[in-house]
Amino acid sequence: MKILYLLFAVLLFLFQAAPGSADPLFPDTVACRNQGNFCRAGACPPTFTISGQCHGGLLNCCAK
């Protein structure tokens, strides 16, 4: 029975996802984040302005 716990732990370790690993690296997204901005679906928060697009044009790049 102890082997099942070990097997479960090993499988959980092997199939864990690293944060952000599922995001494809779009050039516009990388450029937005390198400038210290962030990507957001829809309008930017009130104190931010739209400075471009992210994720192949699906998201807005928000800048302070």
Side-chain angles (χ1 to χ4, degrees):
M1 223 30 193
K2 289 182 181 182
I3 192 74
L4 289 178
Y5 292 117
L6 179 63
L7 180 64
F8 180 70
V10 168
L11 287 176
L12 189 65
F13 177 74
L14 289 177
F15 294 113
Q16 71 179 354
S21 65
D23 294 336
L25 296 176
F26 289 96
D28 53 357
T29 303
V30 172
C32 177
R33 292 184 179 165
N34 283 343
Q35 297 171 357
N37 303 331
F38 62 94
C39 300
R40 182 171 177 162
C44 295
T47 59
F48 293 87
T49 59
I50 297 174
S51 66
Q53 294 180 339
C54 297
H55 208 70
L58 297 175
L59 304 174
N60 293 322
C61 180
C62 300
K64 193 77 166 155

